[in-house]
């Protein structure tokens, strides 16, 4: 069974950095697109970053472009989200998710439990 486990969340001051990790099992990174989503209190879930299995490109949504970086360590079956210059509006529960599709989509097939990131001002 496909499983995803996000970790690394915590409290960080605005302007600081944090790295989230997602340990995956039950699938090959070559065949699945995998990415990060987040959901702030009272708001809908939104995409953050993703790696497409079809072309290997990384994609970012506008609020995090230039600040966040998604990367993967295939040997460890782990995906990371490096968060730099964080802002209070980055506060949210962050989820990693995957899909068999060769492009990143919002309706991912598999979801892990989220990890909470709180950015203080």
């Amino acid at each position: 069974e496909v499983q995803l486990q996000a970790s690394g969340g915590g409290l960080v001051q605005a302007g600081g950095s944090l790295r989230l990790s997602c340990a995956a099992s039950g699938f090959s990174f070559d065949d699945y697109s995998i990415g990060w989503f987040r959901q702030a209190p009272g708001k809908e879930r939104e995409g953050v970053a993703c790696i497409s299995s079809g072309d290997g490109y990384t994609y970012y949504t506008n609020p995090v472009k230039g600040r966040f970086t998604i990367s993967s360590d295939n040997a460890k079956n782990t995906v990371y989200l490096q968060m730099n210059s964080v802002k209070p509006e980055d506060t949210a529960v962050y989820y990693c998710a995957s899909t068999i599709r060769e492009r990143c989509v919002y309706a991912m097939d598999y979801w892990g439990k989220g990890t909470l990131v709180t950015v203080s001002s």
Side-chain angles (χ1 to χ4, degrees), residues 61-121:
T61 53
N62 288 333
V64 307
K65 284 183 179 178
R67 299 189 297 118
F68 293 4
T69 302
I70 187 171
S71 62
S72 64
D73 185 338
N74 291 352
K76 296 182 178 180
N77 269 21
T78 301
V79 175
Y80 304 97
L81 183 68
Q82 180 65 45
M83 306 168 61
N84 295 329
S85 302
V86 296
K87 304 175 181 179
E89 49 262 46
D90 294 323
T91 295
V93 176
Y94 284 72
Y95 303 86
C96 59
S98 65
T99 178
I100 189 65
R101 299 165 192 162
E102 294 186 346
R103 62 179 295 174
C104 299
V105 296
Y106 284 98
M108 301 291 254
D109 298 316
Y110 306 99
W111 295 82
K113 290 185 176 181
T115 185
L116 176 63
V117 173
T118 302
V119 181
S120 64
S121 59

Side-chain angles (χ1 to χ4, degrees), residues 45-64:
R45 184 180 295 172
E46 64 178 357
V48 177
C50 195
I51 302 175
S52 173
S53 66
D55 53 19
Y57 285 6
T58 56
Y59 300 90
Y60 302 91
T61 53
N62 288 333
V64 307

